[in-house]
Amino acid sequence: MADAPRDGGPLPGARADIDPDFFGYRSLLDPDEQALLAGLRAWLTGNVAPIADDYWSRSEFPHQLIPELAELDVMGLSIDLADRKARRRLLSGFVGLEFARIDASFASFYGVHSGLAMGSIAQCGSDEQRERWLPAMRHLDQVGAFGLTEPHGGSDVAGGLETTARRDGDEWVLDGAKRWIGNGTFADLVVVWAKDVTDGSDGGVRGFVVEKDMPGFSSAKMENKMALRITQNADLTLDGVRVPEANRLQHADSFDDTNSILRSTRGSVAWSAVGVMTAVYEIAVQYAKDRVQFGRPIGANQLVQDLLARILGNLTASLGMAVRGAQLQDDGVFHDEQGALAKSFCTSRLRECVGWAREILGGNGILLEYGIARPFNDAEALYSYEGTREINTLIVGRSITGLSAFT
Ligand code: FAD
């Protein structure tokens, strides 16, 4: 493991003269937390960075890296397990940032598995269910996915779930379809959200752990994405899948429970946005210093410095919001509207930043090998998933005014 910095300064692997942590937020971390991040950064730099463009081009996931990734032991960090106490959200936030700095698809793998899937089981599962799945998921012996979105239900999935669950003795029968499910082509288990249509039920939303070899369950890779191409998104089909009652998350009784997971993972998307902003900032600064036009580095031009300062401003403001959000989560006082604002604000700033960074690189900004093209495209997915900007804005607007504008 690489040495941790002593003072919270740039981690090993950072370009020291381009410190993107302008206000020194990393100094809030303890030395052992910084050491963990340094180890993760070294691994990502050595193993993921060199192959990311190639896998992105081919739209494939490098499955061979999963065992080594498991050794880093960073999955489910903020979850209390029998043999590992929960770590601070601040740490898991910075972990997400590190993933996204190298590759946003890897950050998405981490967010889906560690946040959405493990988070659902941790938050909505019984003690027995937590014990049954979480240790294996921590070690990536089992990979998880989260199935909420449907072909006809994206933004209004809360009210419009078409996937149904009907109780039949000690089993449930699941029917329906899910779309966009990250890790969905290869996940060992998927947390599937469905509407209870059992006679006499309240029609509430329930969560089920569907295992990939259950009869009636199938997945098909979604092709031709222009963002997060390493992430394997899938269309899932549930055709009379019989799921034992033991696989129904025992504390998921309504969409409020689903929402409590999204609240926290929206905070995580903010961290991913900061990670991608960090990447494009570092690349753009270096390029502005190296690229010579009119006999001097392009970074000597006021207009280029303006773009760099704007990127750094967006990055710093977003990091501040992500850090404070993590602290509020640790204190148990993080609200829906805060998660919604962090997600929509940070991904909107990200979208500006990748455009400005691409501009600084001129034509080279659209070539994968110069480092901006992949995050430029990936930003589009971060902007739309886990609630679009409009939907998260409606959540914030409802909180500001006390009036719901959802129609
Ligand atoms: P729609 O809901 O059809 O919205 C289309 C447009 O209309 C948007 O701009 C939206 O903001 C706007 N709109 C809709 N309603 C309103 C309104 N009332 N007022 C104003 N504007 C409105 N889902 C999962 O369950 N699991 C996953 O792992 C997962 N991973 C994903 C990965 C990627 C790369 C992507 C792109 C999506 C993923 N999703 C996943 C789904 C994601 O959460 C949805 O795409 C998202 O919620 C938006 O839904 P939609 O795409 O159906 O858009």
Side-chain angles (χ1 to χ4, degrees):
M1 183 173 284
D3 290 339
R6 283 188 302 276
D7 59 356
L11 286 163
R15 278 143 280 190
D17 55 335
I18 312 175
D19 187 356
D21 184 10
F22 210 54
F23 280 34
Y25 281 107
R26 278 176 195 267
S27 63
L28 297 172
L29 294 168
D30 300 334
D32 71 309
E33 294 172 323
Q34 301 210 19
L36 184 148
L37 288 184
L40 175 60
R41 176 169 289 200
W43 185 80
L44 289 166
T45 304
N47 295 280
V48 178
I51 63 166
D53 284 340
D54 183 35
Y55 277 80
W56 194 90
S57 294
R58 290 188 281 119
S59 186
E60 287 176 13
F61 186 88
H63 295 276
Q64 73 278 11
L65 293 182
I66 287 186
E68 280 185 40
L69 179 55
E71 302 244 317
L72 296 169
D73 198 17
V74 293
M75 298 297 149
L77 272 184
S78 51
I79 295 171
D80 247 332
L81 299 169
D83 55 353
R84 189 185 70 191
K85 279 193 71 63
R87 310 290 297 265
R88 294 195 286 174
R89 291 272 178 179
L90 192 60
L91 177 61
S92 49
F94 271 109
V95 165
L97 185 160
E98 288 298 327
F99 275 112
R101 176 179 171 271
I102 297 296
D103 181 64
S105 295
F106 260 76
S108 174
F109 173 86
Y110 168 70
V112 169
H113 173 80
S114 179
L116 286 165
M118 290 184 77
S120 297
I121 294 170
Q123 220 163 303
C124 299
S126 63
D127 289 346
E128 192 185 22
Q129 291 175 322
R130 291 166 56 101
E131 192 49 42
R132 179 172 160 201
W133 287 299
L134 292 179
M137 293 176 81
R138 167 186 170 186
H139 299 297
L140 288 168
D141 294 332
Q142 289 196 306
V143 171
F146 180 88
L148 177 62
T149 305
E150 302 185 340
H152 303 128
S155 299
D156 72 345
V157 74
L161 264 192
E162 291 179 355
T163 299
T164 58
R166 187 185 305 278
R167 181 131 192 191
D168 182 17
D170 283 344
E171 292 181 325
W172 292 79
V173 183
L174 267 55
D175 284 288
K178 297 289 176 182
R179 187 156 173 78
W180 283 116
I181 308 311
N183 305 343
T185 56
F186 61 93
D188 299 285
L189 53 91
V190 184
V191 175
V192 169
W193 299 93
K195 185 178 164 75
D196 187 348
V197 292
T198 311
D199 286 347
S201 89
D202 64 359
V205 172
R206 319 275 184 242
F208 299 87
V209 176
V210 174
E211 295 163 71
K212 70 174 176 195
D213 49 6
M214 287 179 166
F217 172 80
S218 60
S219 70
K221 179 180 171 182
M222 293 175 66
E223 303 283 1
N224 302 325
K225 283 186 299 164
M226 53 75 83
L228 293 185
R229 287 176 55 78
I230 295 176
T231 302
Q232 303 295 297
N233 291 95
D235 277 309
L236 306 183
T237 303
L238 299 138
D239 184 8
V241 182
R242 298 191 80 86
V243 179
E245 163 65 9
N247 282 36
R248 181 181 65 80
L249 295 176
Q250 298 295 306
H251 304 303
D253 299 318
S254 73
F255 194 79
D256 286 348
D257 298 308
T258 323
N259 212 30
S260 70
I261 294 147
L262 295 177
R263 178 190 314 140
S264 133
T265 54
R266 282 177 179 149
S268 307
V269 179
W271 282 98
S272 292
V274 176
V276 180
M277 282 188 254
T278 302
V280 300
Y281 172 74
E282 290 178 331
I283 292 165
V285 173
Q286 194 62 56
Y287 193 87
K289 289 179 168 184
D290 293 345
R291 174 74 174 169
V292 174
Q293 290 294 288
F294 297 97
R296 58 184 190 159
I298 59 168
N301 294 302
Q302 292 175 353
L303 293 176
V304 173
Q305 290 185 8
D306 173 57
L307 293 180
L308 292 172
R310 285 172 188 237
I311 296 173
L312 185 58
N314 275 355
L315 162 53
T316 306
S318 300
L319 180 54
M321 194 181 278
V323 164
R324 186 63 190 139
Q327 291 171 333
L328 292 173
Q329 279 180 272
D330 279 334
D331 293 344
V333 288
F334 191 58
H335 301 294
D336 284 351
E337 55 272 25
Q338 291 166 321
L341 186 65
K343 197 273 168 182
S344 58
F345 178 86
C346 297
T347 55
S348 298
R349 301 292 74 73
L350 166 63
R351 217 174 178 214
E352 294 168 349
C353 287
V354 296
W356 292 329
R358 199 215 67 73
E359 198 173 332
I360 290 170
L361 268 75
N364 289 334
I366 64 168
L367 291 173
L368 275 179
E369 60 268 35
Y370 281 85
I372 299 293
R374 180 163 44 88
F376 178 90
N377 282 274
D378 289 345
E380 288 302 303
L382 271 65
Y383 184 66
S384 286
Y385 69 22
E386 300 234 12
T388 62
R389 186 190 62 76
E390 290 83 358
I391 294 305
N392 280 304
T393 297
L394 293 179
I395 294 170
V396 177
R398 184 177 56 193
S399 163
I400 295 171
T401 62
L403 304 167
S404 174
F406 284 93
T407 50

